[in-house]
Amino acid sequence: MDVLYELVELLPTSYRVPFPPKLKELYQLLRKKRYTEEELRAEFCPQSKHYFNKLKSQLKKALLHCILINPPVWADSPQKELMDTCLKEFATYKLLIAGSSRLAGIQLATQLLSKAQRLEQFDLVYVISSDLEFHYSVNEIKTGKAKRYAQISNKYLELVNAEKLIRRYYGKVMQICSTKSKLSVNDMKVLREAKTNSLPLLALKSNKFNHFIYNIIIGKYYAEHDYPRVIEYCDKALQSFSKDHPNIAALRFAFTSKKIIAFIALEKYAKAKAIAKEASQLMPMGKFNWHLILIQRIIICFHSGAYQEAYELYKAQTQYQCPYSLLAEYWKIIQGYLYFFIQAGRIEAYGEERFNLGKFLNEIPIFSQDKAGVNINVILIQILILMQRGHFGRIIDKIEAIQAYARKHTRQPETARAHCFIQMIVKMEAASFHRASTERKTQKYWQQLEATPIRFGQSLAVEMVPYAALWAIILDMLEHKFRAVRAKRKTTIR
């Protein structure tokens, strides 16, 4: 389904699709809203799963054909439009040569070569120059041209091999940084080797290589939680790119957003806010990166205690529906926290704000998915809102499951603070929600929490709101009396 939605979103809403009636109907349904596969089949074709899958396959082929023949017009991104034109012309010249229209193909290849060089498409330049060398050596014998294209071909073969090497290092670094919270000695060795072997390639002064190399270096420093170095190398990366690079806006955005996380980790919130605001202006409104940077701006507000500002940023984005499932989860979590802060009197809402806790929990299952960052926030929002509503019995019902989750998913360094905070909530229930007793029973975990620094990787997922701020509000909600609350008993049918 994600592939279909990506293809649908590439075509402008005004585009008239030349599809048969059934495919057109399916396309229009996908345009209206996001469905799960089961929901879409139930609404569109409940009678036959086989027929539904066949229509989906046909629609995918039809959409690919539309995109190939009429590529999207990237009005907000000239660099993407230039790249699309280059790739389309490359495919065209290859088809011309294969179809015995060699002269037309060679003419197009000659025009395309400089464009591919400017875009640093090393593999395309190598293929084009090799074809031109062959043509002027065999079909239209011109020794001078054949020699010139041979030189270009040899040079770009080296660049293709260098790119292959650097992408391999980049892949290793991203695998380590994205999937591991605790790094082994071997992981650190791989990160050091990737950095050491990549640095010499900076001498090539290639924007494409610089993008990979600086990501490798920054990934290493993120893994070591060396945030000043992260900022230093983000600045070096930004200075390394030529201002006329066709993809300069996206490159600036990528490294600017990495700096934001580092500034938050260093608690330099004013600097983080200024950079985040600047980065948000680099991306078109409503697109993936625009939503991503706005989420970061709200998290900055959460960490600096600017809850009202966070609310205003959230309200400003609601006119742009987020079509990206990954980011949609974060928006739901932000909505949950904002609702909690409104009810706690930290935010003055523009009107009545409603929050359906049951729907929220159904949309983001807690225990069925191993996504520690998202899940921890969902657990906390659930507990916070149940406390506000006085549903202490329901909290007790969930304690055992929460403890099991904490044992399984919060034992890594990145989630050490989350583990302490969840244990404080468990002790709060053991203290019968009595404030003084809770403070006494949680003192050990509170001290551990204070002694453990917030560790940010290249994500802000785990501690979206500082636990110290949440704990202060929780204590304010507790009373100086013990609550005689019993959990609901499970009944057995005999």
Side-chain angles (χ1 to χ4, degrees):
M1 289 300 296
D2 287 342
V3 173
L4 267 181
Y5 273 113
E6 276 189 4
L7 295 175
V8 167
E9 286 159 8
L10 276 175
L11 296 175
T13 51
S14 57
Y15 184 77
R16 292 188 177 183
V17 289
F19 297 161
K22 266 294 182 187
L23 288 188
K24 192 171 185 179
E25 185 183 347
L26 180 56
Y27 169 79
Q28 288 169 343
L29 272 177
L30 294 172
R31 268 282 178 205
K32 286 179 184 176
K33 61 178 278 192
R34 291 192 76 87
Y35 294 88
T36 64
E37 185 155 349
E38 293 74 18
E39 289 171 344
L40 184 61
R41 186 162 69 88
E43 181 166 337
F44 181 70
C45 186
Q47 303 89 354
S48 170
K49 184 176 181 180
H50 174 74
Y51 182 55
F52 173 70
N53 288 334
K54 183 179 177 181
L55 286 174
K56 276 202 313 172
S57 178
Q58 288 176 353
L59 179 61
K60 180 182 172 183
K61 288 179 182 176
L63 287 167
L64 288 169
H65 180 76
C66 286
I67 291 164
L68 178 64
I69 303 303
N70 299 296
V73 177
W74 304 99
D76 52 15
S77 185
Q79 66 272 14
K80 287 185 178 178
E81 192 170 351
L82 186 62
M83 179 65 76
D84 285 352
T85 303
C86 180
L87 293 172
K88 187 177 180 182
E89 288 177 358
F90 179 80
T92 304
Y93 111 77
K94 281 302 221 180
L95 287 169
L96 287 170
I97 291 176
S100 300
S101 300
R102 179 166 288 277
L103 288 178
I106 291 299
Q107 186 180 54
L108 180 57
T110 306
Q111 296 166 357
L112 181 59
L113 184 63
S114 60
K115 191 183 294 183
Q117 286 175 308
R118 180 174 173 238
L119 289 168
E120 294 190 319
Q121 294 301 302
F122 302 137
D123 50 349
L124 299 193
V125 176
Y126 169 68
V127 171
I128 295 166
S129 57
S130 295
D131 283 349
L132 290 171
E133 177 197 357
F134 182 83
H135 174 76
Y136 288 113
S137 298
V138 177
N139 299 311
E140 187 182 342
I141 299 174
K142 292 185 178 180
T143 308
K145 284 189 173 184
K147 185 177 179 181
R148 182 163 68 87
Y149 288 123
Q151 290 172 343
I152 295 172
S153 175
N154 291 336
K155 175 186 174 182
Y156 276 85
L157 177 59
E158 291 179 6
L159 290 173
V160 167
N161 289 330
E163 183 180 355
K164 181 180 178 181
L165 178 68
I166 203 166
R167 285 168 72 100
R168 185 173 293 159
Y169 281 128
Y170 176 77
K172 288 180 179 179
V173 170
M174 291 303 108
Q175 285 173 19
I176 291 170
C177 295
S178 302
T179 62
K180 296 187 178 182
S181 297
K182 186 177 182 179
L183 302 186
S184 66
V185 173
N186 186 61
D187 291 332
M188 295 308 299
K189 182 182 176 183
V190 170
L191 293 175
R192 283 194 301 273
E193 284 180 356
K195 179 193 169 188
T196 302
N197 294 331
S198 300
L199 275 172
L201 294 174
L202 286 173
L204 295 171
K205 296 183 178 179
S206 159
N207 289 298
K208 179 186 261 190
F209 282 4
N210 288 358
H211 173 254
F212 286 118
I213 294 165
Y214 282 113
N215 266 304
I216 288 168
I217 297 168
I218 290 163
K220 174 184 178 291
Y221 287 128
Y222 259 123
E224 295 170 350
H225 306 289
D226 189 346
Y227 302 114
R229 285 280 193 170
V230 168
I231 294 165
E232 176 190 342
Y233 276 92
C234 282
D235 286 334
K236 286 183 178 181
L238 291 166
Q239 291 164 11
S240 74
F241 300 120
S242 55
K243 292 181 180 178
D244 62 343
H245 189 276
N247 207 25
I248 188 63
L251 291 171
R252 283 176 61 199
F253 177 88
F255 288 98
T256 301
S257 61
K258 291 178 189 297
K259 283 173 68 177
I260 293 167
I261 300 173
F263 277 119
I264 296 173
L266 294 170
E267 298 184 6
K268 295 183 178 181
Y269 301 121
K271 191 72 175 174
K273 278 185 183 181
I275 294 172
K277 187 174 182 181
E278 174 193 335
S280 67
Q281 295 167 355
L282 295 172
M283 292 292 114
M285 288 187 176
K287 298 297 184 181
F288 184 93
N289 283 336
W290 181 84
H291 279 281
L292 178 62
I293 205 69
L294 199 53
I295 288 168
Q296 288 187 341
R297 290 178 71 185
I298 290 173
I299 293 173
I300 295 167
C301 292
F302 284 160
H303 278 261
S304 60
Y307 304 126
Q308 189 68 38
E309 185 181 347
Y311 175 71
E312 287 163 6
L313 286 170
Y314 172 78
K315 296 300 283 186
Q317 76 79 33
T318 50
Q319 60 183 304
Y320 300 98
Q321 184 180 3
C322 182
Y324 311 103
S325 56
L326 176 64
L327 297 184
E329 287 189 344
Y330 289 106
W331 279 124
K332 290 184 178 81
I333 289 167
I334 286 170
Q335 184 190 13
Y337 277 125
L338 290 173
Y339 176 80
F340 170 71
F341 288 130
I342 290 168
Q343 300 304 308
R346 266 58 173 186
I347 291 174
E348 185 179 342
Y350 297 154
E352 185 182 1
E353 296 284 351
R354 296 185 179 183
F355 185 77
N356 188 325
L357 184 58
K359 183 181 178 184
F360 171 74
L361 295 175
N362 287 333
E363 288 175 342
I364 314 179
I366 302 176
F367 304 109
S368 62
Q369 300 177 37
D370 185 12
K371 295 186 288 184
V374 172
N375 290 342
I376 289 166
N377 286 288
V378 175
I379 290 168
L380 295 182
I381 289 169
Q382 182 181 198
I383 297 298
L384 293 168
I385 291 175
L386 288 175
M387 282 189 70
Q388 277 182 336
R389 294 175 178 175
H391 297 164
F392 295 95
R394 288 181 62 187
I395 294 174
I396 295 171
D397 290 339
K398 298 177 185 300
I399 288 296
E400 188 177 336
I402 291 171
Q403 282 181 300
Y405 178 86
R407 282 194 295 271
K408 185 176 180 181
H409 296 293
T410 63
R411 291 294 191 179
Q412 300 299 331
E414 294 287 345
T415 53
R417 285 173 58 84
H419 181 79
C420 289
F421 197 63
I422 289 175
Q423 293 306 315
M424 289 163 72
I425 288 170
V426 171
K427 293 296 182 184
M428 175 184 69
E429 181 269 334
S432 299
F433 305 99
H434 182 279
R435 175 162 182 161
S437 180
T438 295
E439 288 180 300
R440 187 168 58 254
K441 287 179 181 291
T442 59
Q443 186 177 9
K444 169 186 150 184
Y445 292 108
W446 173 251
Q447 289 171 350
Q448 288 179 12
L449 186 70
E450 286 192 311
T452 307
I454 299 177
R455 290 192 170 191
F456 290 111
Q458 298 188 55
S459 168
L460 297 168
V462 178
E463 197 164 340
M464 291 176 73
V465 180
Y467 297 144
L470 292 178
W471 189 243
I473 299 175
I474 286 173
L475 290 178
D476 285 344
M477 289 192 289
L478 298 178
E479 298 178 3
H480 293 285
K481 65 178 182 180
F482 291 96
R483 288 183 176 271
V485 182
R486 290 186 180 180
K488 295 177 183 176
R489 292 183 177 274
K490 294 182 180 178
T491 55
T492 305
I493 300 175
R494 296 183 181 275

